[in-house]
Every structure is written in C-alpha cells, then in structure tokens.
Amino acid sequence: ALRRTILEAMGVAGDVEGLSQAARADQDPALRRAAIQGLGVASSPAATAALKQIYAANADPGIRRAVIEGLFVADDARALIDLFRAEKDRELKHDIIQKLSLMDSPEATDMLLKLLEQ
C-alpha cells in the first residue's frame, strides 16, 4: 500500500522518470499499472512518450489497457489514435475507440466519423 501511495504522489508531482522506471521494472503487475496510471496523471509530453513506449514494449493486455486508460486520463486523443492505428488486437482496438468516444476532442471526433464512414 505504501509503494502504491508513493507512485500516486509521483504522478501528482510529475516524476515521469521515476514512474517510467517503476512501470517498466516493477515485478508486481498491480504496481506497474499504478505507475502507468501515475504517468497519465502527470499528463506531459514526456509522460505520453513513456506511455507509448511501454505500450509498444508489452504484449500483456492488462498493461496495454492501463496505458490506454493513462492516455485517456491525460486527455491525449492523438496518442490514442496512434495506438489504434498500430494495434492488431480487436478487443484493444475496441477499448481505444471506447475511450476516444468519451473525449471532447476534434481529433477523436474526426477519427470516429471516419470509422463510421467505412
């Protein structure tokens, strides 16, 4: 519980480097997801870059879903669209579209309209 609280504080403080290290290296999957959530809270270009790298480096759907949630929290429609275009897994694509549909973003709206036209 203490480590999770520390990760949450790191997210609020914007400690992207520390959160990135925890998200990549921690052996506990729950703490890795907490670090990923903290990166979403940090909401910076460096945090987005770290989240995208973590997504690309992990095949674990739980980690990938945590990254999708983190980018949603960061309100980064562009990054979610990039993940959607590269993703092959139908369920993860569905999760990304679901998050984009909740965002108040012209990019997200354009993407959804293009999908509906297909």
Short mmCIF file of all heavy atoms in Angstrom, two decimals, residues 13-69:
data_model
loop_
_atom_site.label_atom_id
_atom_site.label_comp_id
_atom_site.label_asym_id
_atom_site.label_seq_id
_atom_site.Cartn_x
_atom_site.Cartn_y
_atom_site.Cartn_z
N ALA A 13 3.20 14.76 -8.68
CA ALA A 13 4.40 15.60 -8.75
C ALA A 13 4.98 15.67 -10.16
O ALA A 13 5.84 16.49 -10.44
CB ALA A 13 5.45 15.08 -7.78
N GLY A 14 4.52 14.77 -11.04
CA GLY A 14 5.03 14.77 -12.41
C GLY A 14 6.39 14.11 -12.56
O GLY A 14 7.14 14.44 -13.48
N ASP A 15 6.72 13.16 -11.69
CA ASP A 15 8.01 12.46 -11.75
C ASP A 15 7.95 11.38 -12.84
O ASP A 15 7.82 10.19 -12.56
CB ASP A 15 8.35 11.85 -10.40
CG ASP A 15 9.71 11.17 -10.37
OD1 ASP A 15 10.41 11.18 -11.41
OD2 ASP A 15 10.06 10.62 -9.32
N VAL A 16 8.06 11.83 -14.08
CA VAL A 16 7.92 10.93 -15.22
C VAL A 16 9.02 9.87 -15.23
O VAL A 16 8.75 8.70 -15.49
CB VAL A 16 7.89 11.73 -16.54
CG1 VAL A 16 7.94 10.82 -17.75
CG2 VAL A 16 6.67 12.63 -16.58
N GLU A 17 10.23 10.26 -14.92
CA GLU A 17 11.34 9.30 -14.96
C GLU A 17 11.15 8.19 -13.93
O GLU A 17 11.30 7.01 -14.23
CB GLU A 17 12.67 10.02 -14.73
CG GLU A 17 13.86 9.09 -14.91
CD GLU A 17 15.19 9.82 -14.85
OE1 GLU A 17 15.26 10.99 -15.25
OE2 GLU A 17 16.16 9.19 -14.39
N GLY A 18 10.81 8.56 -12.71
CA GLY A 18 10.60 7.56 -11.66
C GLY A 18 9.44 6.64 -11.97
O GLY A 18 9.52 5.42 -11.77
N LEU A 19 8.35 7.21 -12.46
CA LEU A 19 7.18 6.41 -12.82
C LEU A 19 7.48 5.48 -13.99
O LEU A 19 7.04 4.33 -14.01
CB LEU A 19 5.99 7.31 -13.15
CG LEU A 19 5.37 8.04 -11.96
CD1 LEU A 19 4.44 9.14 -12.44
CD2 LEU A 19 4.63 7.06 -11.06
N SER A 20 8.23 5.99 -14.95
CA SER A 20 8.60 5.16 -16.11
C SER A 20 9.43 3.96 -15.68
O SER A 20 9.21 2.84 -16.16
CB SER A 20 9.39 5.98 -17.13
OG SER A 20 8.59 6.99 -17.68
N GLN A 21 10.38 4.19 -14.78
CA GLN A 21 11.20 3.09 -14.28
C GLN A 21 10.34 2.05 -13.57
O GLN A 21 10.50 0.85 -13.78
CB GLN A 21 12.29 3.61 -13.35
CG GLN A 21 13.38 4.36 -14.06
CD GLN A 21 14.41 4.95 -13.10
OE1 GLN A 21 14.19 5.01 -11.89
NE2 GLN A 21 15.53 5.39 -13.66
N ALA A 22 9.42 2.51 -12.73
CA ALA A 22 8.55 1.59 -12.00
C ALA A 22 7.64 0.83 -12.96
O ALA A 22 7.41 -0.37 -12.80
CB ALA A 22 7.72 2.35 -10.96
N ALA A 23 7.13 1.52 -13.97
CA ALA A 23 6.22 0.88 -14.93
C ALA A 23 6.93 -0.18 -15.76
O ALA A 23 6.31 -1.15 -16.19
CB ALA A 23 5.62 1.94 -15.85
N ARG A 24 8.20 -0.02 -15.96
CA ARG A 24 8.96 -0.98 -16.77
C ARG A 24 9.55 -2.12 -15.94
O ARG A 24 9.68 -3.24 -16.43
CB ARG A 24 10.09 -0.26 -17.50
CG ARG A 24 9.62 0.62 -18.62
CD ARG A 24 10.80 1.24 -19.37
NE ARG A 24 10.34 2.05 -20.47
CZ ARG A 24 10.20 3.37 -20.41
NH1 ARG A 24 10.49 4.02 -19.30
NH2 ARG A 24 9.77 4.04 -21.45
N ALA A 25 9.93 -1.83 -14.70
CA ALA A 25 10.77 -2.78 -13.96
C ALA A 25 10.10 -3.44 -12.77
O ALA A 25 10.58 -4.49 -12.33
CB ALA A 25 12.04 -2.07 -13.51
N ASP A 26 9.05 -2.87 -12.21
CA ASP A 26 8.47 -3.46 -11.00
C ASP A 26 7.94 -4.85 -11.29
O ASP A 26 7.32 -5.09 -12.32
CB ASP A 26 7.35 -2.56 -10.46
CG ASP A 26 7.13 -2.79 -8.98
OD1 ASP A 26 6.79 -3.94 -8.61
OD2 ASP A 26 7.33 -1.86 -8.20
N GLN A 27 8.17 -5.77 -10.38
CA GLN A 27 7.75 -7.16 -10.57
C GLN A 27 6.26 -7.35 -10.29
O GLN A 27 5.66 -8.29 -10.79
CB GLN A 27 8.57 -8.08 -9.65
CG GLN A 27 10.05 -8.07 -9.97
CD GLN A 27 10.35 -8.47 -11.40
OE1 GLN A 27 9.79 -9.45 -11.90
NE2 GLN A 27 11.19 -7.73 -12.07
N ASP A 28 5.67 -6.46 -9.51
CA ASP A 28 4.25 -6.56 -9.16
C ASP A 28 3.41 -5.90 -10.24
O ASP A 28 3.50 -4.68 -10.44
CB ASP A 28 4.02 -5.88 -7.81
CG ASP A 28 2.59 -5.98 -7.32
OD1 ASP A 28 1.70 -6.37 -8.10
OD2 ASP A 28 2.37 -5.67 -6.13
N PRO A 29 2.59 -6.66 -10.97
CA PRO A 29 1.79 -6.07 -12.05
C PRO A 29 0.86 -4.95 -11.57
O PRO A 29 0.64 -3.98 -12.29
CB PRO A 29 0.98 -7.25 -12.59
CG PRO A 29 1.71 -8.46 -12.17
CD PRO A 29 2.42 -8.11 -10.89
N ALA A 30 0.35 -5.06 -10.35
CA ALA A 30 -0.54 -4.01 -9.83
C ALA A 30 0.22 -2.70 -9.65
O ALA A 30 -0.30 -1.62 -9.93
CB ALA A 30 -1.17 -4.45 -8.51
N LEU A 31 1.46 -2.80 -9.20
CA LEU A 31 2.27 -1.58 -9.04
C LEU A 31 2.70 -1.03 -10.39
O LEU A 31 2.80 0.19 -10.56
CB LEU A 31 3.48 -1.86 -8.14
CG LEU A 31 3.15 -2.10 -6.67
CD1 LEU A 31 4.40 -2.44 -5.87
CD2 LEU A 31 2.44 -0.89 -6.06
N ARG A 32 2.94 -1.91 -11.35
CA ARG A 32 3.25 -1.43 -12.70
C ARG A 32 2.06 -0.64 -13.26
O ARG A 32 2.24 0.43 -13.84
CB ARG A 32 3.58 -2.60 -13.62
CG ARG A 32 4.93 -3.25 -13.29
CD ARG A 32 5.25 -4.38 -14.20
NE ARG A 32 5.62 -3.83 -15.50
CZ ARG A 32 5.63 -4.54 -16.61
NH1 ARG A 32 5.30 -5.81 -16.62
NH2 ARG A 32 5.98 -3.98 -17.75
N ARG A 33 0.86 -1.17 -13.06
CA ARG A 33 -0.33 -0.46 -13.53
C ARG A 33 -0.50 0.87 -12.79
O ARG A 33 -0.89 1.87 -13.38
CB ARG A 33 -1.57 -1.34 -13.39
CG ARG A 33 -1.61 -2.45 -14.44
CD ARG A 33 -2.95 -3.17 -14.46
NE ARG A 33 -3.23 -3.87 -13.21
CZ ARG A 33 -2.83 -5.10 -12.93
NH1 ARG A 33 -2.12 -5.80 -13.79
NH2 ARG A 33 -3.15 -5.65 -11.78
N ALA A 34 -0.20 0.89 -11.49
CA ALA A 34 -0.28 2.13 -10.71
C ALA A 34 0.70 3.17 -11.24
O ALA A 34 0.38 4.36 -11.34
CB ALA A 34 -0.03 1.86 -9.23
N ALA A 35 1.90 2.73 -11.61
CA ALA A 35 2.89 3.65 -12.18
C ALA A 35 2.40 4.18 -13.52
O ALA A 35 2.56 5.38 -13.83
CB ALA A 35 4.24 2.95 -12.33
N ILE A 36 1.79 3.32 -14.31
CA ILE A 36 1.25 3.75 -15.61
C ILE A 36 0.13 4.77 -15.40
O ILE A 36 0.06 5.78 -16.10
CB ILE A 36 0.77 2.52 -16.41
CG1 ILE A 36 1.99 1.71 -16.86
CG2 ILE A 36 -0.08 2.94 -17.60
CD1 ILE A 36 1.66 0.33 -17.39
N GLN A 37 -0.72 4.52 -14.41
CA GLN A 37 -1.78 5.49 -14.11
C GLN A 37 -1.17 6.82 -13.69
O GLN A 37 -1.67 7.89 -14.05
CB GLN A 37 -2.69 4.95 -13.01
CG GLN A 37 -3.55 3.79 -13.46
CD GLN A 37 -4.27 3.10 -12.33
OE1 GLN A 37 -4.00 3.35 -11.15
NE2 GLN A 37 -5.17 2.20 -12.68
N GLY A 38 -0.10 6.76 -12.91
CA GLY A 38 0.59 7.98 -12.49
C GLY A 38 1.14 8.76 -13.67
O GLY A 38 1.11 9.99 -13.68
N LEU A 39 1.62 8.05 -14.69
CA LEU A 39 2.08 8.73 -15.91
C LEU A 39 0.92 9.45 -16.58
O LEU A 39 1.09 10.55 -17.12
CB LEU A 39 2.74 7.73 -16.87
CG LEU A 39 4.12 7.23 -16.46
CD1 LEU A 39 4.53 6.04 -17.30
CD2 LEU A 39 5.15 8.36 -16.58
N GLY A 40 -0.25 8.85 -16.56
CA GLY A 40 -1.43 9.52 -17.12
C GLY A 40 -1.77 10.78 -16.36
O GLY A 40 -2.07 11.82 -16.94
N VAL A 41 -1.68 10.72 -15.05
CA VAL A 41 -1.94 11.88 -14.21
C VAL A 41 -0.90 12.96 -14.46
O VAL A 41 -1.23 14.16 -14.48
CB VAL A 41 -1.98 11.49 -12.71
CG1 VAL A 41 -2.03 12.71 -11.81
CG2 VAL A 41 -3.17 10.57 -12.43
N ALA A 42 0.35 12.56 -14.68
CA ALA A 42 1.42 13.53 -14.92
C ALA A 42 1.13 14.36 -16.16
O ALA A 42 1.49 15.54 -16.24
CB ALA A 42 2.76 12.82 -15.05
N SER A 43 0.49 13.77 -17.16
CA SER A 43 -0.02 14.48 -18.33
C SER A 43 0.96 15.48 -18.93
O SER A 43 0.73 16.68 -18.92
CB SER A 43 -1.33 15.18 -17.96
OG SER A 43 -1.94 15.72 -19.11
N SER A 44 2.05 14.95 -19.47
CA SER A 44 3.04 15.80 -20.12
C SER A 44 3.51 15.10 -21.39
O SER A 44 3.29 13.90 -21.55
CB SER A 44 4.24 16.03 -19.19
OG SER A 44 4.98 14.84 -19.04
N PRO A 45 4.16 15.81 -22.30
CA PRO A 45 4.70 15.14 -23.49
C PRO A 45 5.66 14.00 -23.15
O PRO A 45 5.64 12.96 -23.79
CB PRO A 45 5.41 16.27 -24.24
CG PRO A 45 4.70 17.52 -23.81
CD PRO A 45 4.34 17.27 -22.37
N ALA A 46 6.46 14.18 -22.11
CA ALA A 46 7.38 13.11 -21.71
C ALA A 46 6.61 11.90 -21.18
O ALA A 46 6.97 10.75 -21.45
CB ALA A 46 8.35 13.63 -20.65
N ALA A 47 5.54 12.15 -20.43
CA ALA A 47 4.71 11.05 -19.92
C ALA A 47 4.03 10.31 -21.06
O ALA A 47 3.98 9.07 -21.07
CB ALA A 47 3.68 11.58 -18.93
N THR A 48 3.54 11.05 -22.05
CA THR A 48 2.91 10.42 -23.21
C THR A 48 3.91 9.56 -23.96
O THR A 48 3.61 8.43 -24.34
CB THR A 48 2.32 11.49 -24.15
OG1 THR A 48 1.24 12.15 -23.47
CG2 THR A 48 1.80 10.88 -25.44
N ALA A 49 5.11 10.07 -24.16
CA ALA A 49 6.15 9.29 -24.85
C ALA A 49 6.46 8.02 -24.08
O ALA A 49 6.60 6.94 -24.66
CB ALA A 49 7.41 10.14 -25.03
N ALA A 50 6.55 8.12 -22.76
CA ALA A 50 6.83 6.94 -21.93
C ALA A 50 5.69 5.93 -22.04
O ALA A 50 5.93 4.73 -22.17
CB ALA A 50 7.04 7.36 -20.47
N LEU A 51 4.45 6.40 -21.99
CA LEU A 51 3.30 5.50 -22.11
C LEU A 51 3.29 4.78 -23.45
O LEU A 51 3.04 3.57 -23.51
CB LEU A 51 2.00 6.27 -21.90
CG LEU A 51 1.71 6.70 -20.46
CD1 LEU A 51 0.55 7.69 -20.42
CD2 LEU A 51 1.42 5.49 -19.59
N LYS A 52 3.58 5.50 -24.51
CA LYS A 52 3.60 4.87 -25.84
C LYS A 52 4.72 3.83 -25.93
O LYS A 52 4.54 2.76 -26.52
CB LYS A 52 3.74 5.93 -26.92
CG LYS A 52 2.46 6.75 -27.10
CD LYS A 52 2.62 7.92 -28.03
CE LYS A 52 2.61 7.50 -29.46
NZ LYS A 52 2.64 8.65 -30.39
N GLN A 53 5.86 4.10 -25.33
CA GLN A 53 6.97 3.13 -25.32
C GLN A 53 6.59 1.89 -24.52
O GLN A 53 6.89 0.77 -24.94
CB GLN A 53 8.23 3.76 -24.75
CG GLN A 53 8.87 4.78 -25.65
CD GLN A 53 10.03 5.52 -24.98
OE1 GLN A 53 10.24 5.41 -23.78
NE2 GLN A 53 10.77 6.26 -25.78
N ILE A 54 5.95 2.09 -23.38
CA ILE A 54 5.53 0.96 -22.55
C ILE A 54 4.52 0.11 -23.32
O ILE A 54 4.59 -1.12 -23.29
CB ILE A 54 4.95 1.46 -21.21
CG1 ILE A 54 6.06 2.09 -20.37
CG2 ILE A 54 4.23 0.34 -20.46
CD1 ILE A 54 5.57 2.93 -19.21
N TYR A 55 3.60 0.74 -24.00
CA TYR A 55 2.60 0.02 -24.79
C TYR A 55 3.27 -0.83 -25.86
O TYR A 55 2.95 -2.01 -26.02
CB TYR A 55 1.64 1.03 -25.43
CG TYR A 55 0.41 0.41 -26.04
CD1 TYR A 55 -0.75 0.28 -25.29
CD2 TYR A 55 0.39 -0.02 -27.36
CE1 TYR A 55 -1.90 -0.28 -25.84
CE2 TYR A 55 -0.75 -0.58 -27.91
CZ TYR A 55 -1.90 -0.70 -27.14
OH TYR A 55 -3.03 -1.26 -27.70
N ALA A 56 4.20 -0.25 -26.56
CA ALA A 56 4.87 -0.95 -27.65
C ALA A 56 5.74 -2.11 -27.13
O ALA A 56 5.89 -3.12 -27.82
CB ALA A 56 5.73 0.01 -28.45
N ALA A 57 6.26 -1.97 -25.93
CA ALA A 57 7.18 -2.97 -25.40
C ALA A 57 6.48 -4.12 -24.66
O ALA A 57 7.13 -5.09 -24.28
CB ALA A 57 8.18 -2.30 -24.45
N ASN A 58 5.17 -4.01 -24.46
CA ASN A 58 4.46 -5.02 -23.68
C ASN A 58 3.35 -5.68 -24.49
O ASN A 58 2.54 -5.00 -25.10
CB ASN A 58 3.83 -4.38 -22.44
CG ASN A 58 4.84 -4.13 -21.36
OD1 ASN A 58 5.21 -5.04 -20.63
ND2 ASN A 58 5.32 -2.90 -21.28
N ALA A 59 3.31 -6.99 -24.43
CA ALA A 59 2.23 -7.73 -25.08
C ALA A 59 1.10 -8.03 -24.10
O ALA A 59 0.01 -8.43 -24.52
CB ALA A 59 2.77 -9.04 -25.66
N ASP A 60 1.33 -7.80 -22.82
CA ASP A 60 0.34 -8.09 -21.78
C ASP A 60 -0.88 -7.16 -21.95
O ASP A 60 -0.75 -5.94 -21.85
CB ASP A 60 0.97 -7.87 -20.40
CG ASP A 60 0.03 -8.11 -19.25
OD1 ASP A 60 -1.21 -8.14 -19.45
OD2 ASP A 60 0.52 -8.27 -18.12
N PRO A 61 -2.06 -7.74 -22.22
CA PRO A 61 -3.25 -6.90 -22.41
C PRO A 61 -3.59 -6.03 -21.19
O PRO A 61 -4.09 -4.92 -21.35
CB PRO A 61 -4.37 -7.92 -22.68
CG PRO A 61 -3.69 -9.16 -23.10
CD PRO A 61 -2.35 -9.15 -22.42
N GLY A 62 -3.28 -6.51 -19.99
CA GLY A 62 -3.55 -5.71 -18.79
C GLY A 62 -2.71 -4.45 -18.76
O GLY A 62 -3.20 -3.37 -18.41
N ILE A 63 -1.45 -4.58 -19.12
CA ILE A 63 -0.56 -3.41 -19.17
C ILE A 63 -1.01 -2.48 -20.29
O ILE A 63 -1.07 -1.27 -20.12
CB ILE A 63 0.91 -3.85 -19.36
CG1 ILE A 63 1.40 -4.66 -18.16
CG2 ILE A 63 1.81 -2.65 -19.63
CD1 ILE A 63 1.42 -3.91 -16.85
N ARG A 64 -1.35 -3.06 -21.43
CA ARG A 64 -1.80 -2.23 -22.55
C ARG A 64 -3.09 -1.47 -22.21
O ARG A 64 -3.24 -0.30 -22.55
CB ARG A 64 -1.98 -3.07 -23.80
CG ARG A 64 -0.64 -3.45 -24.41
CD ARG A 64 -0.78 -4.14 -25.72
NE ARG A 64 0.49 -4.02 -26.42
CZ ARG A 64 0.63 -4.11 -27.72
NH1 ARG A 64 -0.40 -4.34 -28.49
NH2 ARG A 64 1.82 -3.98 -28.28
N ARG A 65 -4.00 -2.13 -21.51
CA ARG A 65 -5.23 -1.45 -21.09
C ARG A 65 -4.93 -0.32 -20.10
O ARG A 65 -5.55 0.73 -20.14
CB ARG A 65 -6.22 -2.45 -20.50
CG ARG A 65 -6.93 -3.24 -21.55
CD ARG A 65 -8.07 -4.10 -20.98
NE ARG A 65 -8.75 -4.75 -22.07
CZ ARG A 65 -8.42 -5.92 -22.60
NH1 ARG A 65 -7.39 -6.59 -22.10
NH2 ARG A 65 -9.09 -6.44 -23.60
N ALA A 66 -3.96 -0.54 -19.22
CA ALA A 66 -3.56 0.50 -18.29
C ALA A 66 -2.99 1.71 -19.03
O ALA A 66 -3.26 2.85 -18.68
CB ALA A 66 -2.54 -0.05 -17.29
N VAL A 67 -2.22 1.45 -20.09
CA VAL A 67 -1.67 2.56 -20.89
C VAL A 67 -2.82 3.31 -21.58
O VAL A 67 -2.83 4.55 -21.61
CB VAL A 67 -0.64 2.05 -21.92
CG1 VAL A 67 -0.27 3.15 -22.91
CG2 VAL A 67 0.60 1.52 -21.21
N ILE A 68 -3.78 2.58 -22.13
CA ILE A 68 -4.93 3.23 -22.77
C ILE A 68 -5.65 4.12 -21.76
O ILE A 68 -5.97 5.27 -22.06
CB ILE A 68 -5.88 2.16 -23.36
CG1 ILE A 68 -5.22 1.45 -24.54
CG2 ILE A 68 -7.22 2.78 -23.76
CD1 ILE A 68 -5.92 0.18 -24.98
N GLU A 69 -5.85 3.61 -20.57
CA GLU A 69 -6.50 4.39 -19.51
C GLU A 69 -5.65 5.61 -19.14
O GLU A 69 -6.17 6.71 -18.95
CB GLU A 69 -6.75 3.52 -18.28
CG GLU A 69 -7.47 4.21 -17.16
CD GLU A 69 -8.93 4.53 -17.48
OE1 GLU A 69 -9.56 3.79 -18.26
OE2 GLU A 69 -9.43 5.53 -16.94
#
